[in-house]
Amino acid sequence: MVIDSTYEKKLIEIIHSSPMLVEVFELSRKTELTEYYIGAGCIAQTVWNYSLGNPLGYGIDDIDIIYFDTDLSYEKEDRIINKCKEVYCKLPIKVDEKNQARVHLWYKDKFGIDLKPYLSLEEAINSWPTTATLYNKTQEVEKNMAGIECYTVVGAAALV
Protein backbone atom coordinates (compact mmCIF):
# COMPACT_ATOMS: atom_id res chain seq x y z
CA MET A 1 0.00 0.00 0.00
CA VAL A 2 1.34 3.42 -0.88
CA ILE A 3 0.67 5.51 2.16
CA ASP A 4 -1.47 8.62 2.70
CA SER A 5 0.45 11.80 1.87
CA THR A 6 -0.27 13.49 5.22
CA TYR A 7 1.25 10.64 7.16
CA GLU A 8 3.96 10.17 4.55
CA LYS A 9 5.03 13.81 5.02
CA LYS A 10 5.20 13.33 8.79
CA LEU A 11 7.18 10.11 8.39
CA ILE A 12 9.63 11.81 6.04
CA GLU A 13 9.96 14.72 8.49
CA ILE A 14 10.84 12.30 11.27
CA ILE A 15 13.35 10.45 9.08
CA HIS A 16 14.94 13.77 8.09
CA SER A 17 15.43 14.56 11.78
CA SER A 18 17.56 11.41 12.27
CA PRO A 19 21.18 12.10 11.26
CA MET A 20 21.89 8.37 11.20
CA LEU A 21 19.03 7.54 8.82
CA VAL A 22 19.79 10.52 6.60
CA GLU A 23 23.36 9.24 6.37
CA VAL A 24 22.14 5.74 5.50
CA PHE A 25 19.95 7.13 2.71
CA GLU A 26 22.80 9.27 1.38
CA LEU A 27 25.31 6.40 1.50
CA SER A 28 22.84 4.08 -0.20
CA ARG A 29 23.40 5.91 -3.47
CA LYS A 30 26.91 4.42 -3.48
CA THR A 31 25.74 0.80 -3.46
CA GLU A 32 25.00 -1.32 -6.52
CA LEU A 33 21.32 -1.41 -5.57
CA THR A 34 18.88 0.32 -7.88
CA GLU A 35 15.68 -0.26 -5.94
CA TYR A 36 15.50 -1.25 -2.33
CA TYR A 37 13.80 -0.63 0.98
CA ILE A 38 15.36 0.60 4.17
CA GLY A 39 13.01 -0.54 6.84
CA ALA A 40 11.76 -2.71 9.61
CA GLY A 41 12.81 -1.85 13.15
CA CYS A 42 15.04 1.14 12.41
CA ILE A 43 12.10 3.08 10.98
CA ALA A 44 9.58 2.09 13.64
CA GLN A 45 12.03 2.67 16.49
CA THR A 46 12.97 6.10 15.11
CA VAL A 47 9.30 7.10 14.99
CA TRP A 48 8.67 5.80 18.51
CA ASN A 49 11.78 7.59 19.80
CA TYR A 50 10.62 10.80 18.14
CA SER A 51 7.17 10.47 19.68
CA LEU A 52 8.53 9.68 23.16
CA GLY A 53 11.26 12.31 23.13
CA ASN A 54 14.08 9.75 23.23
CA PRO A 55 17.30 10.17 21.25
CA LEU A 56 16.35 9.11 17.72
CA GLY A 57 18.93 6.31 17.57
CA TYR A 58 17.93 4.81 20.94
CA GLY A 59 17.38 1.04 20.77
CA ILE A 60 18.40 0.70 17.13
CA ASP A 61 21.11 -1.91 16.72
CA ASP A 62 20.90 -2.50 12.98
CA ILE A 63 19.57 -1.19 9.70
CA ASP A 64 17.75 -3.58 7.38
CA ILE A 65 18.11 -3.02 3.65
CA ILE A 66 16.23 -5.34 1.35
CA TYR A 67 16.40 -5.58 -2.41
CA PHE A 68 15.17 -7.93 -5.12
CA ASP A 69 17.54 -9.40 -7.68
CA THR A 70 16.57 -12.37 -9.83
CA ASP A 71 20.22 -13.40 -10.04
CA LEU A 72 20.08 -15.96 -7.21
CA SER A 73 23.76 -16.78 -7.26
CA TYR A 74 25.67 -16.65 -4.01
CA GLU A 75 28.42 -14.78 -5.85
CA LYS A 76 26.11 -11.89 -6.79
CA GLU A 77 24.70 -11.59 -3.29
CA ASP A 78 28.19 -11.79 -1.80
CA ARG A 79 29.37 -9.00 -4.12
CA ILE A 80 26.50 -6.77 -2.96
CA ILE A 81 27.12 -7.62 0.70
CA ASN A 82 30.80 -6.72 0.33
CA LYS A 83 29.97 -3.46 -1.47
CA CYS A 84 27.53 -2.54 1.29
CA LYS A 85 30.12 -3.33 3.95
CA GLU A 86 32.49 -0.94 2.21
CA VAL A 87 29.86 1.80 1.84
CA TYR A 88 28.49 1.56 5.40
CA CYS A 89 31.76 0.75 7.21
CA LYS A 90 31.84 4.00 9.20
CA LEU A 91 28.31 3.72 10.57
CA PRO A 92 28.15 2.96 14.30
CA ILE A 93 25.65 0.12 13.76
CA LYS A 94 25.37 -2.98 11.59
CA VAL A 95 23.71 -2.80 8.19
CA ASP A 96 22.06 -6.05 7.09
CA GLU A 97 21.20 -6.37 3.42
CA LYS A 98 19.17 -9.25 2.02
CA ASN A 99 18.07 -10.22 -1.46
CA GLN A 100 14.42 -11.12 -0.95
CA ALA A 101 14.45 -13.21 -4.12
CA ARG A 102 16.84 -15.61 -2.30
CA VAL A 103 15.12 -15.89 1.08
CA HIS A 104 13.39 -19.17 0.23
CA LEU A 105 16.82 -20.76 -0.32
CA TRP A 106 17.94 -20.41 3.32
CA TYR A 107 14.84 -19.67 5.41
CA LYS A 108 13.94 -23.29 6.20
CA ASP A 109 17.46 -24.08 7.42
CA LYS A 110 17.47 -21.03 9.67
CA PHE A 111 13.84 -20.96 10.89
CA GLY A 112 12.39 -24.39 10.03
CA ILE A 113 9.67 -22.98 7.75
CA ASP A 114 9.34 -23.56 4.01
CA LEU A 115 8.73 -20.42 1.99
CA LYS A 116 7.65 -20.05 -1.60
CA PRO A 117 9.90 -17.71 -3.58
CA TYR A 118 8.83 -14.08 -3.36
CA LEU A 119 7.97 -12.43 -6.66
CA SER A 120 8.68 -8.85 -5.55
CA LEU A 121 9.98 -6.73 -2.69
CA GLU A 122 6.45 -5.78 -1.74
CA GLU A 123 5.36 -9.41 -1.54
CA ALA A 124 8.25 -10.06 0.85
CA ILE A 125 7.38 -7.02 2.96
CA ASN A 126 3.75 -8.09 3.14
CA SER A 127 4.87 -11.29 4.88
CA TRP A 128 6.83 -9.55 7.65
CA PRO A 129 5.51 -9.45 11.21
CA THR A 130 6.30 -5.71 11.38
CA THR A 131 3.75 -4.04 9.15
CA ALA A 132 4.22 -0.27 9.24
CA THR A 133 7.95 0.13 9.26
CA LEU A 134 9.12 0.37 5.70
CA TYR A 135 10.76 3.05 3.68
CA ASN A 136 11.84 3.01 0.07
CA LYS A 137 14.36 4.94 -1.91
CA THR A 138 15.88 4.45 -5.32
CA GLN A 139 19.25 5.72 -6.49
CA GLU A 140 17.55 8.45 -8.51
CA VAL A 141 16.53 10.29 -5.35
CA GLU A 142 18.19 13.67 -5.02
CA LYS A 143 20.47 14.51 -2.11
CA ASN A 144 17.64 16.37 -0.35
CA MET A 145 15.65 13.09 -0.33
CA ALA A 146 12.71 14.80 -2.07
CA GLY A 147 11.96 11.66 -4.09
CA ILE A 148 11.55 9.28 -1.18
CA GLU A 149 8.67 6.87 -1.54
CA CYS A 150 7.04 5.06 1.34
CA TYR A 151 5.51 1.62 1.41
CA THR A 152 3.69 -0.01 4.28
CA VAL A 153 1.32 -2.92 4.69
CA VAL A 154 -1.26 -1.24 6.94
CA GLY A 155 -0.67 2.47 6.36
CA ALA A 156 1.57 5.07 7.94
CA ALA A 157 -1.17 6.14 10.34
CA ALA A 158 -0.45 2.94 12.28
CA LEU A 159 3.13 4.10 12.75
CA VAL A 160 3.09 7.90 12.88
Side-chain angles (χ1 to χ4, degrees), residues 68-85:
F68 195 89
D69 188 339
T70 56
D71 180 343
L72 302 183
S73 70
Y74 174 79
E75 293 76 20
K76 176 73 181 280
E77 184 173 49
D78 195 48
R79 186 171 70 243
I80 289 176
I81 289 169
N82 287 328
K83 179 66 175 179
C84 288
K85 283 181 184 176

Side-chain angles (χ1 to χ4, degrees), residues 139-156:
Q139 288 185 330
E140 290 77 35
V141 174
E142 297 298 320
K143 186 172 182 178
N144 67 4
M145 298 183 5
I148 287 175
E149 296 176 22
C150 302
Y151 180 85
T152 178
V153 178
V154 298

